[in-house]
Amino acid sequence: MVPRKSFVSKEREGFFFLSAQDRIGGSRMARYNFRAVEKKWQEIWENEQIFRTSSDFSKPKYYALVEFPYPSGEGLHVGHPRPYTALDVLARKRRMEGFNVLFPMGWDAFGLPTENFAIQTKIHPAVITERNINRFRQQLQSLGFSFDWSREVNTTDPNYFKWTQWIFLKLFEKGLAYKKEMPINWCPRCKIGLANEEVVDGACERCGHEVETRVKNQWMLRITAYAERLINDLEMVDYIERVKVQQRNWIGRSEGAEVLFKIKDTEENLTVFTTRPDTLFGATYMVISPEHPVLQKLRDRITNMPEIEAYQEQARKKSEFERAQLVREKTGVRVEGLSAINPATNAEIPIWASDYVLMTYGTGAIMAVPGHDERDWEFAKKFGLPIVEVVAGGDVEKEAYTDTEKGTMVNSGFLNGLDVPTAKKKITAWLQERGLGVPKVNYKLRDWVFSRQRYWGEPIPLVYCEKCGWVPVPESELPVRLPQVANYEPTDTGESPLAKIRHWVETTCPKCGGYAERETDTMPQWAGSSWYFLRYCDPHNDQELASREALEYWLPVDWYNGGMEHTTLHLLYSRFWHKFLYDLGIVPTPEPYAKRTSHGMILGENNEKMSKSRGNVVNPDEVVEEYGADTLRLYEMFIGDFEKAVPWSTEGVKGCKRFLDRVWKMMDMVIPGAEYRPELEAKVHQTIKKVSQDYENLKFNTAIAALMTLVNEVYRLESINEAEMKTVLLLLNPVAPHITEEIWEKLGFEGMLNEQRWPVWDEAKTVEQTVEIGVQVNGKLRATITVNLDDPQEAAREKALSAEAVKRALDGKTIVKEVYVPGRIYNIVVK
RNA sequence: GCCGGGGUGGCGGAAUGGCAGACGCUACGGACUUAAAAUCCGUUGGGCUUUUGAGCUCGUGAGGGUUCGAGUCCCUCUCCCGGCACCA
C-alpha cells in the first residue's frame, strides 16, 4: 500500500518521533494503532483544510449548528461530545451528499465562573479565558470533529462584542431597551441580579443560594413586545414537540378581557384582567396586590392604613421562594374605606389586598369569583366572603366549579342559560359597548432583565449625561472595551466593579460634549449567544455583523441541536433578537433556526448526574487515550436513545472498540469485486437505507446496530468484496472518520474517503427474495417456514400446513379462516 | 394541579398492527495459549417437560376493549422522568 504522494512528506514530518511500535504498520495485518491513525488524519484534515467551508455561494448549503460551550476551567466532559458528534455525523454526511456545509464552533466565554476564578487568583479573566479556550479547542480537535476552525468566534473578543453592543444600541434606539426601577431577584452570595429564568426553585441557578427580592434600576429588554410572534411563529419551524410546548408554556399566552371597576365615591378605577369575563356577575369582591399603586394614591381615604402597611412590609420580606413554596394558606387584609362597583350587578363589593395577586402579571388586581376560581374560593372561605354561583353544574359551597365546557350560566342577568364560551363573547361585547372593558391577551413572559453588576461581560455602550439623559456611544467608538483593573470584586452595594474605575466611568457626552458617566452594568451571558450563529456566517467582517450576502446564503440554520436547559432561555432570547434584526432588515429570515433537536444527558456509571462532587465524572481525554477518538465517538452515538439521558458504561466503550477492531480486521477478508455479491446484496442495500435514514432521525444507535449486523454477516461469510467494503466504510465514516479513512487508503481506494459520494440504496434490492415467516394458529406462533416472496399463497399454505407443530395444533379442529401476509405471517384460525 | 415524555431481559436498548427482546454489554461454555489477557465460536427472558430431536407454557407497569393477530390502536388506572406552577 503506497500512501498517496502528497501524504508521504507529511508522514515523515509528523510521525518520525513516534516509536516504532506506534508507527502505522505497512502490512494489512498490523494491529489497529488508533493513536497513530487518528493523529495522522487530524493533521491531514487540518493541513489540507478539508473541512473549510467554501465561499462558493452557488452550491447548495447546509448549516449545522451545535451550542458553543462555555470554556470552563474543568475542560470538556463526556457529555459535550454527544451533540457535537451527532451533528458532525450529519455534517459529514451532507458534505458527501454534495452540500457546502457550515459547521462552526466557538466560545461563549463571558461569565461568572471565570470572573470568580479571577477574583480568587488575581489573574485577569481574559487570560483565564484564553487558557481555557486553548484547552477546549485542543480537546475538541482530538475528537476529530469537522468544524471549520477558521470561523471560530469568541464572545469576549472585542471584534465580536462590538456587534453585541451594536445590536444593543439598535434595541435602545427602537425603544426596546429601557431602564426601570424594579424588584429583581438578588443573589446575596453572587451579589448579582438574576433574570427570572436564572432562579430555580427560589434559589440561584449558579450557586444554589436562596434568592431575595431587591429593588434595582435595571436595563430591560422588551421581549414581551415579541411574545405573540414568538408563539405564533413556532408554527413555521421544525422543532421537536417538547421544545415547542415548553416555549409556549413559558410565554404563557392567555386570552381574556380587561374590565374596569369603579372605586366608589372616587374618580379612580381598578382595571382587572380576567380569562373568565363570563363570571362577572359572580365577582363578589376584588383583590389587589400589596404593591398596587392605588393603595398610595388613595391612602387618605383608607381607614386602616397602618394595618395595610404592615401587610405590605410582610409581603416584601417574603422572598419569591416563600411566596411560591409556602403552603397555600391565603393571607390578606381588607382595604377599609374603599369599595368597588361590580359593573354587571352594580353591587358594591369590598376590596382586599393579598399577596396571592402578583403585581407583575396582568394589572396587579383581580375580580374575585369564588364560585368558579379555586384560589378565590379558598380566600373567600377563609375570610367569610360571599360565594355566588353563576355557572351551574357543580356545588360551589363544596368547591369552585371551574368547568368551562359543561356549565350553564345562572344568576347572571342577560347571560342566563348560555354556555360559557358564548357568555364570554356576549359579556365582552357588552362591556366594550359601554367602555367598561376590552378583549385582552396577556403573557406570563416578562421583560428580560439585561443588567449585571459584574466585570466580565460586555459593557453596555451608553453614557449618562445630566442634560441629555441616556446617550448611546457612537457606532464609530464601538466597541466599548473593559478597562484593565486589579480587582474584580463586586461591591456590597450591588454596584458593578466598573463603578469604581473612575477614569473609565468619567467621559464626555457624545451629544452635548459635557460631563457624562458610562453605564457600569454589563450584559448577561445570554447576550453574546443570542446572535453568534449570525457571526459564523461571516466571522471576520469588520464593517457589519455579517454581510447581507453571507446571511442570505446561510440562513436559516438548517439544524440546531442543543440542550433542553436552553429551551426557555437562550433559544427564546436568540429568536427574539433574530426577529428584531429581521424587522430592521438585517437578517433575511423571520426565524433563525429551521430545525431544533435536543440530546439527553450522559450520566455517571452510577446513574447519577455527572459531577465533581459525586466523583463520577468521566474525562474524554482518558477515553481517547485508552480507546481512541473513533471509539469514543462511536460509543457516544451507540450508547442509547440520543434524546434520552443514559448512564456511562466503561464496558460499553470496550464493546465499541471491539467493533472497530473487527472492522479493521475485515481488511484481511477483502476480495476483488466491483458489484455487491448476490449473497450480500439485499443486506447491503438494507443497511444503506437503514443507516441513511437513521442518521437523519437521530437514531444513531440503530444505525450502528445495523452496521454491526452487516459486519457480523461478513464474518460469517469470511469475506467481503471491494464494493461491499467501500459501502461499509462510507456508512461508518461519519461516526468513525479516522479509522475508515485509514482503511480506505490502505486498501488503495481512489482519493480520500471524505471526498466520496454518500452511497445510495435501490429500494427494489432491499427486499430479500426468500424470507422466513411465522406460522400462527389462532395468533400463536407454531412454526416458521421459508417461502419465496413470489410464491402464490397456495405454496405457502402447503408449507405451513405440513409443519409438524402446526399439524398438532390443527388436530381435531376446523379451519375457519386463513390470513396470509406475504413476507410477514401465515395465520390459521381454527375452531 | 396543568402540560409534555416514558414504563420491554441482569444492564443500555430494538421492533411500518404481523416470529417480542435486533445490536451491544454482562454472565456462562468451548477453541487458541505452558498460563493469562486479547481474539474467535457458541449459549444467555422466566417456568415446566424432555426419549437430548426438541416440545409446552407464561411474558412488554395493571385492568378492560378492538382485531385473524396488540409492546404498538382505544378506554380506565398506576408509577417514574422533565417543564410550568397562587399567572387571575
Side-chain angles (χ1 to χ4, degrees):
Chain A
M1 284 312 113
V2 179
R4 294 188 345 155
K5 205 175 162 210
S6 60
F7 300 150
V8 172
S9 62
K10 220 164 288 129
E11 277 203 328
R12 208 177 290 135
E13 278 164 26
F15 288 84
F16 73 96
F17 56 86
L18 291 170
S19 70
Q21 205 186 357
D22 274 351
R23 221 168 291 207
I24 301 161
S27 103
R28 285 182 179 189
M29 304 293 283
R31 223 177 109 254
Y32 166 45
N33 183 339
F34 60 84
R35 261 181 280 265
V37 168
E38 288 174 0
K39 188 168 193 301
K40 167 183 166 183
W41 286 99
Q42 283 168 17
E43 287 186 0
I44 290 169
W45 295 334
E46 194 188 325
N47 293 340
E48 306 207 356
Q49 303 197 345
I50 300 292
F51 302 119
R52 186 66 83 84
T53 302
S54 158
S55 49
D56 175 3
F57 289 175
S58 66
K59 282 172 79 178
K61 66 96 182 182
Y62 199 85
Y63 188 173
L65 183 65
V66 288
E67 289 172 344
F68 63 164
Y70 174 71
S72 70
E74 264 104 71
L76 225 56
H77 73 94
V78 288
H80 283 109
R82 199 182 193 191
Y84 300 164
T85 309
L87 261 67
D88 193 41
V89 168
L90 266 309
R92 287 173 180 271
K93 177 166 183 274
R94 284 292 177 280
R95 289 193 197 94
M96 291 164 94
E97 288 167 337
F99 287 88
N100 183 19
V101 171
L102 175 54
F103 185 46
M105 182 40 73
W107 319 106
D108 189 14
F110 277 125
L112 272 185
T114 302
E115 182 163 350
N116 290 337
F117 191 72
I119 292 168
Q120 254 175 50
T121 59
K122 308 279 181 200
I123 301 172
H124 195 278
V127 174
I128 299 164
T129 298
E130 200 194 335
R131 193 191 291 165
N132 291 349
I133 285 177
N134 288 338
R135 170 117 202 270
F136 262 70
R137 190 192 299 106
Q138 181 270 319
Q139 286 186 301
L140 289 176
Q141 286 175 340
S142 79
L143 292 175
F145 294 124
S146 65
F147 296 126
D148 177 353
W149 287 103
S150 72
R151 289 175 182 253
E152 188 178 332
V153 303
N154 172 352
T155 56
T156 66
D157 178 348
N159 293 325
Y160 179 90
F161 72 67
K162 171 181 178 177
W163 298 105
T164 312
Q165 291 176 334
W166 183 85
I167 295 169
F168 177 85
L169 287 183
K170 292 291 165 195
L171 287 159
F172 178 76
E173 203 176 280
K174 298 290 174 188
L176 292 168
Y178 62 99
K179 204 155 198 189
K180 193 183 173 191
E181 179 94 348
M182 69 169 297
I184 56 145
N185 303 301
W186 175 261
C187 173
R189 186 179 296 168
C190 301
K191 293 171 179 168
I192 190 173
L194 304 171
N196 285 335
E197 298 87 296
E198 293 170 290
V199 180
V200 176
D201 284 337
C204 172
E205 186 191 47
R206 297 160 203 273
C207 75
H209 196 280
E210 194 173 309
V211 168
E212 290 173 4
T213 309
R214 267 210 194 180
V215 177
K216 276 238 118 222
N217 210 4
Q218 303 278 330
W219 282 103
M220 307 285 294
L221 293 188
R222 215 181 291 281
I223 189 173
T224 51
Y226 284 77
E228 182 83 31
R229 283 162 67 189
L230 287 170
I231 277 199
N232 291 346
D233 291 356
L234 285 173
E235 279 171 33
M236 50 196 261
V237 291
D238 175 20
Y239 290 5
I240 49 173
E241 194 55 25
R242 58 194 167 130
V243 169
K244 286 194 184 184
V245 165
Q246 274 187 36
Q247 291 219 344
R248 284 197 197 103
N249 227 340
W250 187 262
I251 297 168
R253 182 182 199 274
S254 59
E255 258 175 66
E258 274 190 358
V259 185
L260 217 62
F261 283 66
K262 284 203 179 342
I263 300 179
K264 194 175 172 243
D265 302 329
T266 72
E267 295 301 303
E268 294 297 319
N269 295 308
L270 276 179
T271 305
V272 303
F273 172 71
T274 177
T275 56
R276 295 294 305 276
D278 54 296
T279 61
L280 183 56
F281 284 86
T284 53
Y285 62 100
M286 300 187 79
V287 187
I288 59 177
S289 159
E291 298 95 22
H292 200 287
V294 79
L295 291 169
Q296 275 313 309
K297 207 161 183 185
L298 297 179
R299 62 177 298 135
D300 295 342
R301 296 187 54 100
I302 299 171
T303 55
N304 61 337
M305 211 52 208
E307 202 187 337
I308 288 180
E309 280 170 349
Y311 184 75
Q312 287 177 319
E313 184 56 30
Q314 201 187 313
R316 193 171 18 249
K317 270 194 284 184
K318 274 194 213 173
S319 65
E320 284 277 334
F321 180 68
E322 284 173 300
R323 267 171 92 151
Q325 284 296 304
L326 276 182
V327 213
R328 314 237 157 149
E329 186 68 11
K330 296 274 184 293
T331 60
V333 54
R334 167 111 191 234
V335 184
E336 308 277 358
L338 295 184
S339 55
I341 304 296
N342 181 322
T345 61
N346 281 319
E348 184 178 337
I349 57 175
I351 299 172
W352 286 68
S354 170
D355 64 6
Y356 86 86
V357 173
L358 310 174
M359 197 58 224
T360 45
Y361 182 78
T363 61
I366 61 156
M367 65 179 213
V369 185
H372 307 285
D373 180 282
E374 278 163 34
R375 296 149 301 177
D376 297 346
W377 188 89
E378 211 183 299
F379 192 82
K381 277 288 175 196
K382 173 148 183 191
F383 293 102
L385 295 157
I387 300 173
V388 174
E389 178 182 62
V390 289
V391 184
D395 179 357
V396 297
E397 282 309 313
K398 280 221 204 90
E399 59 179 348
Y401 179 68
T402 56
D403 195 291
T404 55
E405 272 160 26
K406 287 176 239 150
T408 308
M409 304 308 299
V410 293
N411 298 325
S412 294
F414 61 93
L415 298 178
N416 284 341
L418 299 177
D419 59 42
V420 168
T422 314
K424 272 187 188 171
K425 275 182 217 134
K426 194 157 178 189
I427 187 79
T428 307
W430 183 88
L431 287 164
Q432 209 161 359
E433 275 164 31
R434 285 161 184 74
L436 294 170
V438 285
K440 169 87 182 176
V441 175
N442 253 322
Y443 302 92
K444 281 197 249 180
L445 184 70
R446 313 288 162 82
D447 276 343
W448 174 6
V449 182
F450 200 67
S451 292
R452 292 300 119 97
Q453 292 72 42
R454 280 285 178 162
Y455 174 81
W456 196 228
E458 301 89 344
I460 290 177
L462 294 172
V463 300
Y464 187 76
C465 165
E466 287 291 342
K467 259 201 309 210
C468 312
W470 285 106
V471 180
V473 171
E475 224 177 289
S476 59
E477 288 175 31
L478 296 182
V480 175
R481 289 163 193 263
L482 287 164
Q484 291 287 331
V485 287
N487 192 359
Y488 317 101
E489 305 260 358
T491 58
D492 291 330
T493 58
E495 262 190 310
S496 162
L498 293 175
K500 290 181 294 190
I501 320 298
R502 297 312 297 175
H503 70 268
W504 185 81
V505 171
E506 292 166 11
T507 184
T508 52
C509 173
K511 210 162 169 185
C512 69
Y515 175 79
E517 295 197 349
R518 290 190 191 281
E519 170 60 64
T520 59
D521 282 357
T522 52
M523 300 187 197
Q525 202 184 348
W526 311 112
S529 59
S530 290
W531 72 282
Y532 74 114
F533 58 95
L534 300 176
R535 190 64 177 171
Y536 283 140
C537 298
D538 191 9
H540 308 294
N541 194 322
D542 57 4
Q543 299 303 306
E544 44 196 342
L545 59 84
S547 77
R548 180 76 192 179
E549 196 194 10
L551 293 173
E552 295 261 6
Y553 177 68
W554 286 114
L555 292 180
V557 172
D558 293 283
W559 193 333
Y560 188 22
N561 185 86
M564 281 310 286
E565 69 274 21
H566 293 134
T567 303
T568 52
L569 320 170
H570 160 65
L571 198 58
L572 208 55
Y573 292 154
S574 60
R575 289 182 62 220
F576 160 47
W577 276 35
H578 192 86
K579 286 184 178 301
F580 170 70
L581 293 172
Y582 176 70
D583 290 348
L584 292 186
I586 292 167
V587 297
T589 60
E591 282 287 335
Y593 319 116
K595 175 175 179 150
R596 168 82 179 185
T597 56
S598 203
H599 54 272
M601 241 192 308
I602 291 185
L603 308 170
E605 291 210 70
N606 56 358
N607 230 317
E608 290 172 29
K609 194 175 167 170
M610 244 184 226
S611 72
K612 238 204 278 182
S613 58
R614 290 185 177 86
N616 59 355
V617 175
V618 179
N619 182 339
D621 292 350
E622 287 165 17
V623 181
V624 171
E625 176 59 27
E626 198 172 343
Y627 303 99
D630 280 337
T631 295
L632 176 64
R633 295 168 58 111
L634 181 71
Y635 178 61
E636 297 247 356
M637 293 299 94
F638 186 64
I639 188 169
D641 183 336
F642 181 71
E643 305 202 59
K644 286 203 203 118
V646 65
W648 186 263
S649 154
T650 303
E651 293 307 321
V653 177
K654 288 183 193 164
C656 287
K657 173 68 163 54
R658 199 140 42 214
F659 172 68
L660 291 181
D661 285 335
R662 279 164 70 80
V663 172
W664 180 261
K665 278 183 273 183
M666 282 200 310
M667 271 194 284
D668 292 337
M669 304 182 194
V670 175
I671 57 173
E675 303 287 335
Y676 304 144
R677 291 168 297 168
E679 60 267 40
L680 219 47
E681 186 180 55
K683 191 95 225 157
V684 172
H685 281 280
Q686 284 166 13
T687 308
I688 298 171
K689 179 180 180 182
K690 177 83 180 148
V691 171
S692 302
Q693 292 180 344
D694 283 358
Y695 282 168
E696 296 298 325
N697 295 316
L698 299 173
K699 303 280 183 202
F700 304 103
N701 52 339
T702 48
I704 293 162
L707 282 166
M708 288 173 168
T709 307
L710 180 57
V711 168
N712 290 344
E713 188 60 31
V714 168
Y715 269 69
R716 224 160 280 142
L717 294 173
E718 296 178 329
S719 67
I720 180 168
N721 77 14
E722 288 167 338
E724 294 152 2
M725 189 66 178
K726 280 183 181 174
T727 297
V728 170
L729 294 175
L730 287 164
L731 294 176
L732 183 59
N733 172 260
V735 177
H738 311 86
I739 187 175
T740 46
E741 283 281 10
E742 180 68 15
I743 297 173
W744 187 272
E745 188 188 80
K746 277 177 116 53
L747 289 175
F749 295 149
E750 191 72 5
M752 271 192 284
L753 178 46
N754 69 75
E755 305 164 333
Q756 309 305 312
R757 300 298 295 200
W758 189 251
V760 289
W761 74 91
D762 181 341
E763 189 64 43
K765 290 182 178 157
T766 60
V767 187
E768 222 115 19
Q769 263 315 294
T770 30
V771 283
E772 201 177 71
I773 65 167
V775 182
Q776 297 180 337
V777 178
N778 283 352
K780 264 187 193 138
L781 185 75
R782 293 296 168 183
T784 55
I785 54 170
T786 306
V787 292
N788 196 302
L789 262 194
D790 298 333
D791 283 351
Q793 177 166 352
E794 208 36 55
R797 180 171 202 270
E798 201 176 304
K799 281 182 187 158
L801 291 178
S802 59
E804 277 306 318
V806 176
K807 275 187 197 158
R808 234 176 297 133
L810 293 179
D811 190 38
K813 306 268 172 57
T814 321
I815 296 177
V816 273
K817 186 172 178 179
E818 288 170 56
V819 181
Y820 177 51
V821 184
R824 296 282 179 203
I825 203 83
Y826 201 108
N827 191 9
I828 302 160
V829 187
V830 296
K831 251 200 312 220

